[in-house]
Amino acid sequence: MKEDLVLSVGGSILLPEDENVSHIKDIAEVILEASKERKLYLVIGGGSTARKYINWGRELGANEATLDDLGIETSRLNARLLIIALGRAVYSVPAKNFDEAVSAGNHYPIVTMGGTHPGHTTDAVAAMLAERLHVKRMINVTSVDGVYTADPKKDPDAEHIEKMEYDRLIEIVSKGERGAGPNIVFDPLAAKIIKRANIVTQIVSGYDLENLRKTIDNEDFSGTTVSSI
Ligand code: UTP
């Protein structure tokens, strides 16, 4: 068996805006193939469904912690959809906490989780799970092809960064927004956890599935690698 891996999969990747399930099927195929050689722990995000519910809850007057709960529930809902697409190789429910994920991993090649507690995103859950499992490499599967010097959707001068140290990532993501449902490339808490546990983190686009396969197989890939060097 090859090394165990934790993948943080953005909800926006599973269900792109057109709300078509074909991408889930294609991602499930890549994951099933990779799980023949290694254990995979997938932490799924809430994506546009989370943002929709968080916006509605905010309009209705909910506080940030209550909005976070909406995000957590939608991430679990998305994880359930992926579980359906993965079939029998996966633990049949999203693990609610790290203990459950660890024990499920002793029996299944694939385990999923959604969010856990208010105050962070599923990237941070993925980093905590990787630390807990002593996993040394984590992949953040997101809607952009890596980390840029600024938000590439807003700033035309933003430059792609291929390799960076943990501290540089912490500096870049700490400039982002606060509150429920932020949309930054990587959670600042997750960035601090990968630094303290020295978890090499590769940030890749979830739309290019051949590139995702290469990343999982630790081949040359296109994206950003964050490590201690
Ligand atoms: P996501 O992890 O989906 O955040 O959690 P995101 O950055 O919007 O990621 P994408 O778009 O899926 O890639 C959605 C929201 O759920 C709450 C937070 O409010 C977060 O912004 N959440 C999630 C928690 O409060 N705790 C968790 O453990 C996870």
Side-chain angles (χ1 to χ4, degrees), residues 93-158:
V93 290
K96 281 213 151 71
N97 54 51
F98 301 121
D99 286 344
E100 186 183 350
V102 171
S103 3
N106 292 331
H107 302 282
Y108 293 85
I110 310 170
V111 176
T112 70
M113 279 189 85
T116 54
H117 300 91
H120 50 247
T121 72
T122 48
D123 290 344
V125 175
M128 291 178 215
L129 180 62
E131 183 175 41
R132 171 73 183 264
L133 290 162
H134 300 281
V135 164
K136 283 299 166 207
R137 185 165 66 99
M138 170 174 132
I139 303 172
N140 187 39
V141 187
T142 182
S143 58
V144 285
D145 61 352
V147 182
Y148 285 74
T149 48
D151 184 346
K153 287 171 190 152
K154 293 179 190 154
D155 185 346
D157 296 329

Coordinates of all heavy atoms in Angstrom, one line a residue, residues 93-158:
V93 N -21.4 6.7 6.0 CA -21.9 8.1 6.4 C -20.7 9.0 6.6 O -19.6 8.5 6.8 CB -22.6 8.0 7.8 CG1 -24.0 7.3 7.7 CG2 -21.8 7.4 8.9
P94 N -20.9 10.3 6.5 CA -19.8 11.2 6.8 C -19.4 11.1 8.3 O -20.3 11.3 9.1 CB -20.3 12.6 6.4 CG -21.6 12.4 5.8 CD -22.1 11.0 6.1
A95 N -18.1 10.9 8.6 CA -17.7 10.8 10.0 C -18.0 12.1 10.7 O -17.7 13.2 10.1 CB -16.3 10.4 10.1
K96 N -18.6 12.1 11.9 CA -18.9 13.4 12.6 C -17.7 14.0 13.3 O -17.7 15.1 13.7 CB -20.1 13.1 13.5 CG -21.4 13.0 12.9 CD -22.5 13.6 13.9 CE -23.7 14.2 13.2 NZ -24.5 13.3 12.6
N97 N -16.7 13.1 13.6 CA -15.6 13.6 14.4 C -14.4 12.8 14.0 O -14.5 11.8 13.2 CB -15.8 13.6 15.9 CG -16.3 12.2 16.3 OD1 -15.6 11.2 16.0 ND2 -17.4 12.1 17.1
F98 N -13.2 13.1 14.6 CA -11.9 12.5 14.1 C -11.9 11.0 14.6 O -11.4 10.2 13.9 CB -10.7 13.3 14.6 CG -10.8 14.7 14.1 CD1 -10.8 15.8 14.9 CD2 -10.8 14.9 12.7 CE1 -10.8 17.1 14.4 CE2 -10.8 16.2 12.1 CZ -10.9 17.3 13.0
D99 N -12.4 10.8 15.8 CA -12.4 9.4 16.4 C -13.1 8.5 15.4 O -12.6 7.4 15.1 CB -13.1 9.3 17.7 CG -12.2 9.9 18.8 OD1 -11.0 10.1 18.6 OD2 -12.8 10.2 19.9
E100 N -14.3 8.9 14.9 CA -15.1 8.1 14.0 C -14.3 7.9 12.7 O -14.3 6.8 12.1 CB -16.4 8.7 13.8 CG -17.4 7.9 13.0 CD -18.7 8.6 12.8 OE1 -19.0 9.6 13.4 OE2 -19.5 8.0 12.0
A101 N -13.7 9.0 12.2 CA -13.0 8.9 10.9 C -11.8 7.9 11.1 O -11.6 7.1 10.2 CB -12.5 10.2 10.5
V102 N -11.1 7.9 12.2 CA -9.9 7.0 12.4 C -10.4 5.6 12.4 O -9.9 4.7 11.7 CB -9.2 7.4 13.7 CG1 -8.1 6.4 14.0 CG2 -8.5 8.8 13.5
S103 N -11.5 5.3 13.2 CA -11.9 3.9 13.3 C -12.5 3.4 11.9 O -12.2 2.3 11.5 CB -12.9 3.6 14.4 OG -13.3 4.7 15.1
A104 N -13.2 4.3 11.2 CA -13.8 3.9 9.9 C -12.6 3.6 9.0 O -12.7 2.6 8.2 CB -14.7 5.0 9.4
G105 N -11.5 4.3 9.1 CA -10.4 4.1 8.2 C -9.7 2.7 8.4 O -9.0 2.2 7.5
N106 N -10.0 2.1 9.6 CA -9.4 0.8 9.8 C -10.2 -0.3 9.1 O -9.7 -1.4 9.0 CB -9.5 0.5 11.3 CG -8.5 1.3 12.1 OD1 -7.5 1.8 11.5 ND2 -8.8 1.6 13.4
H107 N -11.4 0.1 8.6 CA -12.2 -0.9 7.9 C -12.6 -0.6 6.5 O -13.0 -1.5 5.7 CB -13.5 -1.1 8.7 CG -13.3 -1.4 10.1 ND1 -13.0 -2.7 10.5 CD2 -13.3 -0.7 11.2 CE1 -12.8 -2.8 11.8 NE2 -13.0 -1.6 12.3
Y108 N -12.4 0.6 6.0 CA -12.8 1.0 4.7 C -11.6 1.8 4.0 O -10.9 2.5 4.6 CB -14.0 2.0 4.7 CG -15.2 1.3 5.2 CD1 -15.5 1.3 6.6 CD2 -16.2 0.8 4.3 CE1 -16.7 0.6 7.0 CE2 -17.3 0.2 4.7 CZ -17.6 0.1 6.1 OH -18.7 -0.5 6.5
P109 N -11.5 1.6 2.7 CA -10.4 2.3 1.9 C -10.7 3.8 1.8 O -9.8 4.6 1.6 CB -10.4 1.6 0.5 CG -11.6 0.7 0.5 CD -12.2 0.6 1.8
I110 N -12.0 4.2 1.9 CA -12.3 5.6 1.7 C -13.2 6.0 2.9 O -14.2 5.3 3.2 CB -13.1 5.9 0.4 CG1 -12.3 5.3 -0.8 CG2 -13.3 7.4 0.2 CD1 -13.1 5.3 -2.1
V111 N -12.9 7.2 3.5 CA -13.7 7.7 4.6 C -14.0 9.2 4.2 O -13.1 9.9 3.7 CB -13.0 7.6 5.9 CG1 -13.8 8.3 7.0 CG2 -12.7 6.2 6.3
T112 N -15.2 9.6 4.5 CA -15.5 11.0 4.2 C -15.9 11.7 5.6 O -16.3 11.1 6.5 CB -16.7 11.3 3.3 OG1 -17.9 10.9 4.0 CG2 -16.6 10.5 2.0
M113 N -15.7 13.0 5.5 CA -16.1 13.9 6.7 C -16.7 15.2 6.0 O -16.3 15.5 4.9 CB -15.0 14.3 7.5 CG -14.5 13.3 8.6 SD -13.3 14.0 9.7 CE -14.3 14.8 10.9
G114 N -17.5 15.9 6.8 CA -17.9 17.3 6.4 C -17.2 18.2 7.5 O -16.1 17.9 8.0
G115 N -17.9 19.2 7.9 CA -17.4 20.1 9.0 C -17.6 19.5 10.3 O -18.2 18.4 10.5
T116 N -17.0 20.1 11.3 CA -17.1 19.6 12.7 C -17.7 20.6 13.7 O -18.8 20.4 14.2 CB -15.7 19.2 13.2 OG1 -14.8 20.3 13.1 CG2 -15.2 18.0 12.5
H117 N -17.0 21.8 13.9 CA -17.4 22.8 14.8 C -17.4 24.2 14.1 O -16.7 24.4 13.2 CB -16.4 22.9 16.0 CG -16.3 21.6 16.7 ND1 -15.4 20.6 16.4 CD2 -17.0 21.1 17.8 CE1 -15.5 19.6 17.2 NE2 -16.5 19.9 18.1
P118 N -18.2 25.1 14.7 CA -18.2 26.5 14.1 C -16.9 27.1 14.3 O -16.1 26.8 15.2 CB -19.2 27.2 15.0 CG -20.1 26.2 15.6 CD -19.3 24.9 15.7
G119 N -16.6 28.0 13.4 CA -15.4 28.9 13.5 C -14.2 28.6 12.5 O -13.3 29.3 12.5
H120 N -14.4 27.6 11.7 CA -13.4 27.3 10.7 C -14.0 26.7 9.4 O -15.2 26.6 9.4 CB -12.2 26.4 11.2 CG -12.7 25.2 11.9 ND1 -12.6 25.0 13.2 CD2 -13.3 24.1 11.4 CE1 -13.1 23.8 13.5 NE2 -13.6 23.2 12.4
T121 N -13.2 26.3 8.5 CA -13.8 25.7 7.3 C -13.4 24.2 7.2 O -12.6 23.7 8.0 CB -13.4 26.4 6.0 OG1 -12.0 26.1 5.7 CG2 -13.6 27.9 6.0
T122 N -13.8 23.5 6.2 CA -13.5 22.1 6.0 C -12.0 21.9 5.7 O -11.4 20.9 5.9 CB -14.4 21.4 5.0 OG1 -14.4 22.2 3.8 CG2 -15.8 21.2 5.5
D123 N -11.3 23.0 5.2 CA -9.8 22.9 5.0 C -9.2 22.7 6.3 O -8.2 21.9 6.4 CB -9.3 24.2 4.4 CG -9.6 24.5 3.0 OD1 -10.1 23.5 2.3 OD2 -9.5 25.6 2.6
A124 N -9.7 23.4 7.4 CA -9.1 23.2 8.7 C -9.4 21.8 9.2 O -8.5 21.2 9.9 CB -9.6 24.3 9.7
V125 N -10.6 21.3 9.0 CA -10.9 19.9 9.4 C -10.0 19.0 8.7 O -9.4 18.0 9.4 CB -12.4 19.6 9.0 CG1 -12.7 18.1 9.3 CG2 -13.4 20.5 9.7
A126 N -9.7 19.2 7.4 CA -8.8 18.3 6.7 C -7.4 18.3 7.3 O -6.7 17.3 7.5 CB -8.8 18.6 5.2
A127 N -6.9 19.5 7.7 CA -5.6 19.7 8.2 C -5.5 19.0 9.6 O -4.6 18.3 9.9 CB -5.2 21.1 8.4
M128 N -6.6 19.1 10.4 CA -6.6 18.5 11.7 C -6.6 17.0 11.6 O -6.0 16.3 12.3 CB -7.8 18.9 12.5 CG -7.8 20.4 13.0 SD -9.4 20.8 13.8 CE -9.6 22.5 13.3
L129 N -7.4 16.5 10.6 CA -7.5 15.0 10.4 C -6.2 14.5 10.0 O -5.7 13.5 10.5 CB -8.6 14.7 9.4 CG -8.8 13.3 9.1 CD1 -9.3 12.5 10.3 CD2 -9.9 13.1 7.9
A130 N -5.5 15.2 9.1 CA -4.2 14.8 8.6 C -3.2 14.7 9.8 O -2.4 13.8 9.9 CB -3.7 15.7 7.5
E131 N -3.2 15.7 10.6 CA -2.3 15.7 11.8 C -2.6 14.5 12.7 O -1.8 13.8 13.1 CB -2.5 17.1 12.6 CG -1.5 17.2 13.8 CD -1.6 18.5 14.5 OE1 -2.8 19.0 14.6 OE2 -0.6 19.0 14.8
R132 N -3.9 14.3 13.0 CA -4.4 13.2 13.8 C -3.9 11.9 13.3 O -3.5 11.0 14.0 CB -5.9 13.3 13.9 CG -6.5 12.2 14.6 CD -6.3 12.2 16.1 NE -6.9 11.0 16.7 CZ -8.1 11.0 17.3 NH1 -8.8 12.1 17.4 NH2 -8.6 9.9 17.8
L133 N -3.9 11.7 11.9 CA -3.6 10.5 11.3 C -2.1 10.3 11.0 O -1.7 9.3 10.5 CB -4.4 10.3 10.0 CG -5.9 10.1 10.0 CD1 -6.5 10.5 8.7 CD2 -6.2 8.7 10.4
H134 N -1.3 11.3 11.3 CA 0.1 11.4 11.0 C 0.3 11.3 9.5 O 1.3 10.8 9.0 CB 0.9 10.2 11.6 CG 0.8 10.2 13.1 ND1 1.6 11.1 13.9 CD2 0.1 9.5 14.0 CE1 1.3 10.8 15.1 NE2 0.4 9.9 15.2
V135 N -0.7 11.8 8.7 CA -0.6 11.8 7.3 C 0.4 13.0 6.9 O 0.2 14.1 7.4 CB -2.0 12.0 6.6 CG1 -1.8 12.4 5.2 CG2 -2.7 10.7 6.8
K136 N 1.3 12.7 6.0 CA 2.4 13.7 5.7 C 2.1 14.6 4.5 O 2.9 15.5 4.2 CB 3.7 13.0 5.6 CG 4.3 12.7 7.0 CD 4.5 14.0 7.8 CE 4.7 13.8 9.3 NZ 4.2 15.1 10.0
R137 N 1.0 14.2 3.7 CA 0.7 15.0 2.5 C -0.8 15.1 2.4 O -1.5 14.2 2.6 CB 1.3 14.3 1.3 CG 1.2 15.0 0.0 CD 2.1 14.4 -1.1 NE 1.7 13.1 -1.5 CZ 0.9 12.8 -2.6 NH1 0.5 13.8 -3.4 NH2 0.6 11.6 -2.9
M138 N -1.2 16.3 2.1 CA -2.6 16.6 2.0 C -2.8 17.4 0.6 O -2.0 18.1 0.2 CB -3.0 17.5 3.1 CG -4.3 18.1 3.1 SD -4.7 18.9 4.7 CE -5.3 20.4 4.0
I139 N -4.0 17.1 0.0 CA -4.3 17.8 -1.3 C -5.5 18.6 -1.1 O -6.6 18.1 -0.6 CB -4.5 16.8 -2.4 CG1 -3.3 15.9 -2.6 CG2 -4.8 17.5 -3.7 CD1 -3.4 14.7 -3.5
N140 N -5.5 19.9 -1.4 CA -6.6 20.8 -1.4 C -7.2 20.9 -2.8 O -6.5 21.5 -3.7 CB -6.2 22.1 -0.8 CG -7.4 23.0 -0.6 OD1 -8.4 22.6 -0.1 ND2 -7.3 24.3 -0.9
V141 N -8.3 20.3 -3.0 CA -8.9 20.3 -4.4 C -9.9 21.4 -4.4 O -11.0 21.4 -3.8 CB -9.6 18.9 -4.6 CG1 -10.1 18.9 -6.1 CG2 -8.7 17.8 -4.3
T142 N -9.6 22.4 -5.2 CA -10.4 23.7 -5.2 C -10.8 24.2 -6.6 O -10.6 23.5 -7.6 CB -9.6 24.7 -4.3 OG1 -10.4 25.9 -4.2 CG2 -8.3 25.0 -4.9
S143 N -11.3 25.4 -6.6 CA -11.8 25.9 -7.9 C -10.7 26.7 -8.6 O -11.0 27.2 -9.8 CB -13.0 26.8 -7.7 OG -12.8 27.8 -6.8
V144 N -9.6 27.0 -8.0 CA -8.5 27.7 -8.7 C -7.3 26.7 -8.8 O -7.2 25.8 -8.0 CB -8.1 29.0 -8.0 CG1 -9.1 30.1 -8.2 CG2 -7.8 28.8 -6.5
D145 N -6.4 27.0 -9.7 CA -5.3 26.1 -10.0 C -4.1 26.4 -9.1 O -2.9 26.2 -9.5 CB -4.9 26.1 -11.5 CG -4.4 27.4 -11.9 OD1 -4.5 28.4 -11.2 OD2 -4.0 27.5 -13.1
G146 N -4.3 26.8 -7.9 CA -3.2 27.0 -7.0 C -3.3 28.4 -6.2 O -4.3 29.0 -6.3
V147 N -2.2 28.7 -5.6 CA -2.2 30.0 -4.8 C -1.6 31.1 -5.6 O -0.6 30.9 -6.3 CB -1.4 29.8 -3.5 CG1 -1.5 31.1 -2.7 CG2 -2.0 28.7 -2.6
Y148 N -2.2 32.3 -5.6 CA -1.7 33.5 -6.3 C -1.3 34.5 -5.3 O -1.7 34.5 -4.2 CB -2.9 34.0 -7.2 CG -3.1 33.2 -8.5 CD1 -3.7 31.9 -8.4 CD2 -2.7 33.6 -9.7 CE1 -4.0 31.1 -9.5 CE2 -2.9 32.8 -10.9 CZ -3.5 31.6 -10.8 OH -3.7 30.8 -11.9
T149 N -0.6 35.5 -5.8 CA -0.1 36.6 -4.9 C -1.3 37.4 -4.5 O -1.2 38.1 -3.5 CB 0.9 37.5 -5.7 OG1 0.4 37.8 -7.0 CG2 2.2 36.8 -5.8
A150 N -2.4 37.4 -5.3 CA -3.7 38.1 -4.9 C -4.8 37.3 -5.5 O -4.6 36.3 -6.2 CB -3.7 39.5 -5.5
D151 N -6.1 37.6 -5.3 CA -7.2 36.9 -5.8 C -7.2 37.0 -7.3 O -7.5 38.1 -7.8 CB -8.5 37.4 -5.2 CG -9.7 36.6 -5.6 OD1 -9.6 35.8 -6.6 OD2 -10.8 36.7 -5.0
P152 N -7.0 36.0 -8.1 CA -6.9 36.1 -9.6 C -8.2 36.5 -10.2 O -8.3 37.0 -11.3 CB -6.5 34.7 -10.0 CG -6.8 33.8 -8.9 CD -6.7 34.6 -7.6
K153 N -9.4 36.2 -9.4 CA -10.7 36.6 -10.0 C -10.9 38.1 -9.9 O -11.7 38.7 -10.6 CB -11.8 35.9 -9.3 CG -11.8 34.4 -9.6 CD -12.8 33.6 -8.7 CE -12.6 32.1 -8.9 NZ -13.0 31.3 -7.7
K154 N -10.1 38.8 -9.0 CA -10.3 40.2 -8.9 C -9.1 41.0 -9.4 O -9.3 42.2 -9.7 CB -10.6 40.5 -7.4 CG -11.9 39.9 -6.8 CD -12.0 40.3 -5.4 CE -13.2 39.5 -4.8 NZ -13.0 39.2 -3.3
D155 N -7.9 40.5 -9.3 CA -6.7 41.3 -9.6 C -6.0 40.7 -10.8 O -5.4 39.6 -10.8 CB -5.8 41.2 -8.3 CG -4.6 42.1 -8.5 OD1 -4.3 42.5 -9.6 OD2 -3.9 42.3 -7.5
P156 N -6.0 41.4 -11.9 CA -5.4 40.9 -13.2 C -3.9 40.7 -13.0 O -3.2 40.0 -13.8 CB -5.7 41.9 -14.2 CG -6.1 43.2 -13.5 CD -6.6 42.7 -12.1
D157 N -3.2 41.4 -12.1 CA -1.8 41.3 -11.9 C -1.4 40.1 -11.0 O -0.2 39.9 -10.7 CB -1.2 42.6 -11.3 CG -1.4 43.7 -12.3 OD1 -1.4 43.5 -13.5 OD2 -1.5 44.9 -11.8
A158 N -2.4 39.4 -10.5 CA -2.1 38.3 -9.5 C -1.2 37.2 -10.2 O -1.4 36.8 -11.4 CB -3.4 37.6 -9.1

